[in-house]
């Protein structure tokens, strides 16, 4: 292999925002059927500039602003998908996807099944989600639990720029509808990577940091916090493994359960409110699958059961490194009552 | 301000509507071609060709027979539920016959007669209502979307499909059916707006049958007519006698033509009446008078066209006999089909939830398989 | 106490439908501020006849039909509650509440908190939910997980006629917004009881059947099935306790955890799809609270992760007595590997 | 069909609208009282009393000063975000001054000047935007609902509140503000419809400022005007020059009067322009020309009324000085208030989620308390 021929492009620092922009551009380039639309995604390039430059490059037939109506955006995307197109739509902020809830649950999620496979709906709904950016009310919701509970949807939440690229390309290629959750707080985070060089399949979790004592399970906006906590735990003498779910539904049981069986302890982390949150599913299914390997219950570090707080208080609501470490500390490291099980 | 006169034709060049928005308003009284006695009336519409009229008549008779058969099957417990179209045949048939093969139909639960008219296999039409599966036909085969139950949601699908046709440069028009009640849902508003802004090739046909289950129109809207909503979207609108198949047909045909030639969507309100209860599970006597039903029976869409055709000597004994035979043939096929028990494979529960079954669904399928084996033991 | 004065009314057989009707009538009678509205609830008395006769008795100023728009119904109910009324609205079927999702999540659930307690919204949303009645698509959803995950809402699901009465009266009296889930399949079930004679508080679970071997946790449409399973389990030699949650959120940890600590084994049952379902929360929190008392993981018996099936197949989807017993059987009664823990 | 002439007054008796639905349409050009140079024009509206005009002027000047101060505070990082009303003062002030004490205002995020005009404490107005809490004032104190961010959802709250007033026999009108973009949402449709069917005492004021963030009106609607939507609900509608405070005021006052006297809701579209970017976080240069902004600056609502008042000798030096002093006083109070750091008690996170804190929330509060104690150590 020479330096000029077939050499992979050099890795370069890239933000998640520009990785997403590149994924959209490459998908538009690769397949004429891809359309990008939503509120302010055309001329403006989106309020987060994720679609910056796309309308100019691909024309307003393929990248365009719609009237201001989210049910309308998702409902027409469904019709377009029925007619052979691949719509990628943007909901401007998480809570502003709620008006489309009926179209998502009653149609987008069910159409393939209702029609016995005749009508698939390869629609991607991009949702900037989560907090940590000082946004005012309604701008920081984490609504993954609503979507992951809805059979027929795939739900994806990248935690790194590289994954943002790979997962968005995979979501657009996917024949199933995908709710694509973009962690706002990570839009401007950087990674030095070669986009698209070695994509992991869309439905696979990834072990981001190997460790033997406890498994931290995170995704999207909380991945970086979990990794930070894992580093901080070294000081406490804990060897922490971090699993990045990448795809929330369907769940990669194999990867996650293997990790938890290895470590015997697990903490799942998310920003969303705790009760009935996605972490409950993770905890319940891991307990079902790994009960005899668990030295302690699977713990959850989550937002509180409150409406997302105002900017001045969000730091208290959001899972922090300390709160994660506190949970890890509660995992009965010196359990006198219960002897360590087989393997520990 | 005195509004300019409305032009004679519904084929409204866009410049005109820009200069004179009032041209987008419907006529104050419904357009029609035949009065309740089947006599031709003065109209801005022109009467369809004779073979079309005969075709409309034939399909209405066949459709009604299908409908009656389905209703009968609910009484025998062979159908879980059936929302009858009886009384609304002029809308269902008049509109569907105006579609070209490449066009799409977006029907509701009410519109089984429209499906049969479009050529959907009658047994496939009844799959949903027999409770076998959510849908019995392949939408692409007939260019008919699944019958839609969540009200008004199909209006947006129609706009999306039509817009995609525009994007792809295809000559396809989408006709979406909805009820008077469904016009109150937010989705109807969003669909009318998207269609108008995008100038999508869509025809919205509101079958205003006076009720949303038990709720009469007066509790649904205070508008002069539902067609008066069109102007608020910049969309031409038409008010038509929904029991006059010829008029519905012409009006929809014009709208399809407008759409197909790049002039955008049309909102049509057809005034009609549902003769049966909302579904067999409903009891219409709780909310409306027999006298009201009787008055509408006088305006029956089939009788009306039959009188006209008979008076013009277009409907001889032979033709009648052939149509009756066709209708009875269909009914007996439906009876036979519905009396045969259909087995639905429980394993189909897990198919087509995703393009490829997930590991979790495979495990759940295994659980059910084991249970069924155990039961069989 | 004489026979005529102060004697409680004699217990009589009553269906859940008529108990609900009576609760509405009594609430309308008791408080002028109560209004009942929705689609077809006036003249028709609702498609399930739950509001039968109320418009005639209380007039169409207090019991009335609205235009057909669920966001409109909930949104105007919010405005009415702001102005001092107590709206009790009906969503005709479960899936037809989805168009109101934004009003429910972004306003109904949050208003009290946003306004620092200045504006409470005592709105009750009645939702006939669940399947088992041979309904066609969109008529049999179980959507409790969407609501229980939404902080600020109370979610209630009665399982018996007596509770239907008590809980609906309590919901109407409650200063918080309540999603009131009525199990359609139980509308015509009967109980011999004196309505309102001895109501349990709205946020308390109830032990419906005492037992020492395992706790079945159920609510709404599954309560009867769970009780049936408990009876059937006697033959297998299992002594099954049945806890009726009554209120799904906020959760009555005390009652449920006490039961599970006693029995050491638990199965939670619901109709809704499993993934991210309400059962995940129940399993996760009980595991957190009772880990050292558990002889086996908390198991879930739920609907499959599929859109609600057509009438001919629903029996295969819905938790049955057999499926519950199978789960109970999987609770490692003769666990050779792990010795029974303390207390068992 | 020739439409009947529109009657002179907006005070439309219902019978008339029944007979002549076209009477529900807006005028083809916006109603106004003053041209861009502050000269009185021929109008079907009558000029408000002089003290009212002076009051409108004063409040616009004060409102603009408040707005400028808030914008400045975003640059200093003292406000998380601020959506400016600059350029829209005629709408915000003209409308709010038309409300009576017992009426309610349902504003959006855009309408801080409307709040200040209504008398909401300016510091309480900014609580949301400073990021202290979601709302700084007690809605019942001012009869002002929380500023609404989810677009169009407040239209339904206004209808509900107004309907409740009717049910309770109270004389209360609800004025709801929304933008041109918000008219596309389904909730707007449902609210207009419910209000019309219930004849609720509501006034819908659409501030059409030409853009929804970056999206121009032409991509939002194809309607002749947004006011043309009224007829589709059977609701009278008015198109008004939104930079003419006197005209907005009179039109809203008439609508409030109609509502209060049992004649039901009115839809008003006011044509205006937002001079600043959508919020300080937005960059309007990405989607509109400086020339367009310049043209609208020529139509400034304050200048216009100032010229009129000055020409009529109603605005002397003393009055000007007093108004300037009031505005500057407000601005410096706002500056002082915003420069003082406000502590927000983290424990307030758990309050008012329910009327009584749940056991779970108490436990979560304890967790946070412990954390904060640990940190403090
Ligand atoms: C979103 C939604 N809400 C409620 C229902 C329940 N529902 C089914 S049909 C119906 C009445 C519909 O009336 P209309 O639109 O006039 O149609 P028609 O039945 O008269 O043909 C209602 C309320 C539904 N299917 N979807
Ligand atoms: C339901 C919903 N969708 C999207 C948004 C994001 N958003 C905030 S303001 C805005 C534009 C609103 O335009 P318009 O209604 O014209 O009001 P203006 O800002 O011009 O006053 C958008 C899209 C929102 N707040 N709510
Ligand atoms: Mg109807
Ligand atoms: Mg605007």
């Amino acid at each position: 292999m020479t330096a000029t021929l077939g050499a992979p492009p050099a890795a370069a620092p890239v933000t998640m925002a520009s990785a997403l922009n590149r994924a959209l551009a490459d998908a538009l380039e690769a397949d004429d059927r891809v359309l990008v639309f939503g509120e302010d995604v055309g001329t403006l390039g989106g309020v987060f500039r994720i679609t910056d430059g796309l309308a100019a490059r691909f024309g307003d037939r393929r990248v365009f602003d719609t009237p201001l109506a989210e049910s309308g955006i998702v409902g027409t995307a469904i019709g377009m998908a029925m007619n052979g197109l691949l719509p990628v739509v943007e909901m401007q902020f998480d809570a502003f996807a709620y008006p489309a809830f009926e179209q998502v649950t009653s149609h987008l999620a069910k159409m393939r099944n209702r029609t016995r496979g005749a009508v698939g709906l390869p629609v991607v709904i991009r949702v900037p989600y989560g907090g940590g950016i000082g946004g005012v009310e309604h701008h920081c919701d984490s609504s993954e639990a609503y979507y992951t509970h809805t059979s027929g949807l795939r739900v994806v939440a990248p935690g790194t720029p590289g994954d943002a690229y790979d997962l968005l390309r995979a979501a657009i290629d996917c024949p199933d509808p995908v709710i694509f959750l973009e962690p706002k707080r990570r839009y401007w985070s950087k990674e030095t990577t070669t986009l698209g060089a070695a994509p992991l399949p869309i439905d696979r979790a990834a072990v981001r940091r190997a460790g033997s004592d406890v498994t931290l399970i995170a995704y999207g906006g909380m991945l970086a916090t979990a990794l930070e906590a894992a580093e901080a735990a070294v000081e406490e003498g804990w060897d922490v493994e971090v699993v990045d779910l990448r795809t929330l539904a369907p769940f990669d049981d194999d990867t996650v359960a293997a990790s938890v069986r290895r470590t015997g302890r697990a903490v799942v982390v998310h920003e969303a409110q705790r009760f009935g949150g996605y972490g409950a599913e993770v905890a319940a299914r891991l307990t079902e699958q790994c009960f005899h390997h668990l030295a302690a219950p699977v713990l959850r570090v989550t937002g509180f059961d409150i409406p997302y707080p105002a900017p001045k208080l969000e730091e208290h609501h959001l899972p922090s490194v300390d709160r994660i470490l506190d949970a890890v500390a509660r995992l009965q490291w010196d359990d006198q009552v219960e002897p360590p099980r087989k393997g520990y | 301000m005195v509004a300019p006169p409305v032009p004679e034709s519904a084929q409204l060049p866009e410049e005109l509507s820009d200069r004179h928005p009032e041209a987008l308003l419907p006529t104050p009284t419904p357009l029609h071609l035949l009065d309740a006695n089947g006599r031709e009336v003065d109209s801005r519409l022109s009467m369809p060709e004779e073979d079309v009229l005969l075709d409309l008549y034939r399909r209405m008779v066949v459709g009604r027979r299908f409908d009656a058969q389905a209703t009968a099957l609910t009484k025998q417990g062979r159908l879980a539920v059936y929302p009858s179209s009886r009384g609304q045949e002029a809308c269902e048939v008049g509109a569907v016959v105006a579609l070209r093969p490449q066009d799409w139909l977006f029907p509701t639960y009410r519109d089984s007669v429209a499906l049969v008219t479009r050529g959907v296999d009658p047994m496939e039409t009844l799959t949903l209502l027999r409770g076998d599966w959510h849908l019995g036909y392949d939408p692409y085969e007939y260019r008919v979307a699944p019958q839609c139950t969540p009200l008004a949601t199909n209006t947006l699908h129609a706009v999306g499909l039509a817009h995609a046709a525009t994007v792809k440069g295809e000559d396809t028009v989408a006709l979406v059916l909805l009820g008077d009640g469904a016009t109150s849902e937010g989705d109807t508003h969003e669909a009318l707006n998207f269609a108008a802004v995008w100038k999508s090739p869509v025809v919205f046909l509101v079958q205003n049958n006076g009720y949303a289950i038990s709720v009469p129109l007066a509790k649904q809207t205070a508008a002069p007519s539902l067609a008066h909503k069109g102007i608020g979207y910049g969309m031409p609108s038409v008010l038509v006698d929904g029991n006059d198949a010829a008029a519905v047909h012409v009006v929809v045909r014009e709208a399809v033509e407008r759409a197909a030639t790049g002039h955008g969507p049309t909102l049509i309100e057809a005034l009609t009446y549902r003769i049966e209860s909302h579904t067999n599970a409903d009891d219409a006597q709780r909310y409306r008078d027999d006298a009201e039903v009787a008055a509408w029976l006088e305006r029956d869409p089939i009788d009306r066209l039959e009188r006209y055709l008979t008076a013009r000597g277009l409907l001889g004994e032979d033709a009648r006999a052939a149509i009756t035979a066709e209708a009875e043939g269909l009914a007996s096929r439906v009876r036979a089909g519905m009396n045969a028990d259909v087995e639905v494979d429980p394993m189909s529960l897990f198919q087509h939830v995703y393009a490829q079954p997930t590991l979790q669904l495979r495990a759940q399928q295994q659980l059910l398989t084991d249970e069924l084996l155990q039961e069989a033991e």
Side-chain angles (χ1 to χ4, degrees), chain A, chain B:
Chain A
M1 185 159 70
T2 75
T4 48
L5 201 73
V14 59
T15 62
M16 187 181 285
S18 61
L20 290 165
N21 180 269
R22 193 100 69 83
L24 291 172
D26 291 353
L28 282 158
E29 183 71 47
D31 192 332
D32 265 357
R33 296 170 305 167
V34 175
L35 295 189
V36 171
F37 56 96
E39 295 158 10
D40 301 291
V41 300
T43 313
L44 185 66
V47 295
F48 291 106
R49 305 289 186 266
I50 306 302
T51 58
D52 197 19
L54 299 180
R57 178 162 163 208
F58 296 98
D60 62 7
R61 202 183 53 88
R62 298 192 58 206
V63 179
F64 54 93
D65 293 327
T66 62
L68 210 169
E70 293 78 10
S71 189
I73 292 168
V74 175
T76 55
I78 289 170
M80 293 186 212
M82 289 178 73
N83 203 351
L85 298 181
L86 301 175
V88 183
V89 304
E90 177 175 302
M91 302 280 102
Q92 200 159 83
F93 285 84
D94 196 276
F96 307 145
Y98 299 152
F101 199 67
E102 182 187 31
Q103 287 288 352
V104 171
T105 49
S106 290
H107 289 294
L108 188 64
K110 292 182 175 168
M111 187 70 87
R112 179 183 292 278
N113 185 253
R114 291 168 69 203
T115 63
R116 285 180 163 137
V119 183
L121 294 177
V123 173
V124 177
I125 304 186
R126 293 180 40 244
V127 186
Y129 94 102
I133 57 161
V136 294
E137 54 168 5
H138 309 292
H139 287 77
C140 299
D141 280 21
S142 290
S143 53
E144 61 270 33
Y146 299 136
Y147 301 116
T148 50
H149 181 52
T150 305
S151 307
L153 300 177
R154 288 177 184 272
V155 183
V156 168
T160 67
D163 245 15
Y165 180 90
D166 292 339
L167 285 171
L168 186 48
R169 292 298 305 270
I172 296 170
D173 286 345
C174 178
D176 300 316
V178 180
I179 308 293
F180 192 89
L181 301 171
E182 303 175 357
K184 294 177 206 95
R185 53 154 69 193
R186 305 302 299 163
Y187 270 149
W188 311 112
S189 68
K190 274 194 183 152
E191 184 186 18
T192 299
T193 183
T194 308
L195 294 182
L200 205 61
I202 187 171
D203 42 15
R204 293 289 299 282
V207 175
R208 293 284 178 205
R209 181 184 195 285
S212 56
D213 291 342
V214 55
T215 303
L216 282 187
I217 300 158
Y219 53 89
M222 282 291 109
L223 175 63
T225 314
L227 286 165
E228 225 185 292
E231 287 309 320
V234 173
E235 256 182 54
E236 313 279 334
W238 295 319
D239 187 18
V240 176
E241 176 144 315
V242 177
V243 176
D244 174 5
L245 291 182
R246 304 174 77 249
T247 283
L248 313 192
F251 191 81
D252 181 357
D253 284 303
D254 290 348
T255 304
V256 188
S259 170
V260 173
R261 285 198 198 98
R262 245 182 349 254
T263 61
R265 292 173 168 85
V267 176
V268 52
V269 186
H270 60 63
E271 289 184 27
Q273 59 271 28
R274 178 194 205 73
F275 196 88
Y278 182 72
E281 176 60 39
V282 175
R285 67 191 301 114
L286 289 174
T287 307
E288 284 158 7
Q289 294 171 33
C290 313
F291 188 69
H292 294 294
H293 298 81
L294 285 174
V298 178
L299 294 185
R300 296 180 276 170
V301 178
T302 68
F304 297 124
D305 287 317
I306 59 174
Y308 195 90
K312 282 215 180 137
L313 295 180
E314 70 176 349
E315 59 164 325
H316 299 301
H317 174 68
L318 292 169
S320 61
V321 167
D322 281 348
R323 202 171 285 164
I324 294 171
L325 291 176
D326 281 351
V328 170
R330 278 185 288 127
L331 289 170
Q332 309 156 32
W333 298 94
D334 307 298
D335 191 329
Q336 302 305 322
V337 185
E338 291 257 327
R341 325 262 177 110
K342 281 172 299 151
Y344 306 95
Chain B
M1 174 193 85
V2 175
V6 170
E8 279 306 294
S9 156
Q11 219 112 312
L12 192 68
E14 85 187 285
E15 319 78 51
L16 189 61
S17 77
D18 276 358
R19 261 179 298 137
H20 302 297
E22 292 77 5
L24 299 170
L25 290 172
T27 48
T29 55
L31 296 175
H32 56 173
L33 279 164
L34 299 178
D35 69 15
N37 295 312
R39 276 184 298 255
E40 195 168 349
V41 292
D42 248 11
S43 176
R44 79 142 185 78
L45 305 173
S46 40
M47 189 64 79
E49 307 73 14
E50 290 178 355
D51 58 332
V52 172
L53 290 173
L54 262 173
D55 191 43
L56 293 174
Y57 174 74
R58 179 178 66 84
R59 288 168 180 277
M60 287 201 291
V61 171
V62 171
R64 178 167 294 179
R65 187 65 191 88
F66 170 84
D67 191 88
Q69 185 57 62
T71 298
L73 286 164
T74 62
K75 293 187 179 131
Q76 298 152 28
R78 283 275 159 194
L79 281 181
V81 64
Y82 182 73
S84 165
S85 325
R86 186 167 159 222
Q88 303 185 203
E89 294 88 351
C91 297
E92 309 251 320
V93 171
V96 168
V97 169
L99 292 182
R100 304 162 304 166
Q102 72 265 39
D103 297 330
W104 272 78
L105 174 67
F106 285 79
T108 75
Y109 54 88
R110 170 84 52 226
D111 306 310
S112 297
V113 168
L115 264 68
V116 171
T117 304
R118 181 67 174 169
V120 176
D121 182 289
M123 295 307 301
E124 293 180 356
T125 300
L126 294 174
T127 299
L128 167 71
L129 304 163
R130 172 147 75 167
D132 298 346
W133 195 259
H134 311 298
L135 185 74
Y137 55 93
D138 178 350
Y140 293 113
E141 183 178 348
Y142 306 103
R143 299 206 154 212
V144 176
Q147 282 183 279
C148 190
T149 292
L151 293 165
T153 53
N154 59 335
T155 57
L156 285 164
H157 307 163
V159 175
L161 184 134
H163 182 69
T166 309
V167 169
K168 299 198 295 179
E170 288 170 3
D171 174 16
T172 300
V173 173
L175 168 68
V176 58
L177 305 180
L178 63 155
D180 45 304
T183 64
S184 296
E185 292 278 7
D187 273 7
T188 300
H189 170 73
E190 299 186 12
L192 289 166
N193 191 41
F194 275 62
V197 171
W198 291 348
K199 267 180 155 266
S200 300
V202 185
V203 180
F204 296 88
L205 176 60
V206 178
Q207 295 184 63
N208 178 355
N209 61 11
Y211 289 88
I213 308 186
S214 70
V215 180
L217 192 69
K219 290 188 189 172
Q220 203 65 249
T221 182
S225 80
L226 294 169
H228 275 81
K229 294 188 186 297
I231 193 171
Y233 305 95
M235 191 185 298
S237 55
V238 181
L239 182 65
V240 65
D241 182 337
N243 280 17
D244 181 343
V248 171
H249 178 71
V250 172
V251 160
V252 174
R253 202 161 67 178
E254 282 184 12
V256 169
E257 175 71 16
R258 282 191 73 243
T261 52
H263 292 94
T266 306
L267 172 62
I268 303 171
E269 175 186 7
L271 297 176
T272 183
Y273 197 78
R274 128 172 95 66
I275 298 297
E276 299 286 337
S277 288
H278 175 69
T279 69
N280 51 300
D282 178 42
D283 174 9
Q285 302 221 316
R286 289 178 76 103
Y287 52 81
R288 65 185 195 186
D289 288 344
D290 289 347
E292 185 179 287
V293 182
W296 277 94
L297 284 171
E298 292 296 307
R299 293 175 233 171
D300 186 75
I302 298 184
D303 287 356
R304 184 183 304 200
L305 189 52
E306 184 170 320
R307 283 184 201 144
Y308 175 78
L309 293 172
T310 308
R312 309 260 304 190
L314 296 168
L315 192 65
E317 276 315 309
D318 289 0
R320 271 175 212 264
I323 293 171
T324 307
E326 183 184 348
E328 289 306 324
L330 174 70
S332 73
R333 258 186 298 131
V334 167
R335 269 195 312 274
M338 298 304 288
N339 284 327
D341 273 318
V342 167
E343 282 295 310
V344 191
D345 180 6
M347 293 308 130
S348 60
L349 285 173
F350 305 96
Q351 279 147 28
H352 308 306
V353 180
Y354 297 91
Q356 301 293 330
T358 63
L359 293 176
Q360 288 79 10
L361 282 173
R362 277 194 227 147
Q364 295 180 7
Q365 176 163 358
Q366 191 57 53
L367 186 141
L368 181 57
T369 307
D370 293 347
E371 281 182 6
L372 294 173
L373 279 172
Q374 246 178 340
E375 269 173 41
E377 269 161 27

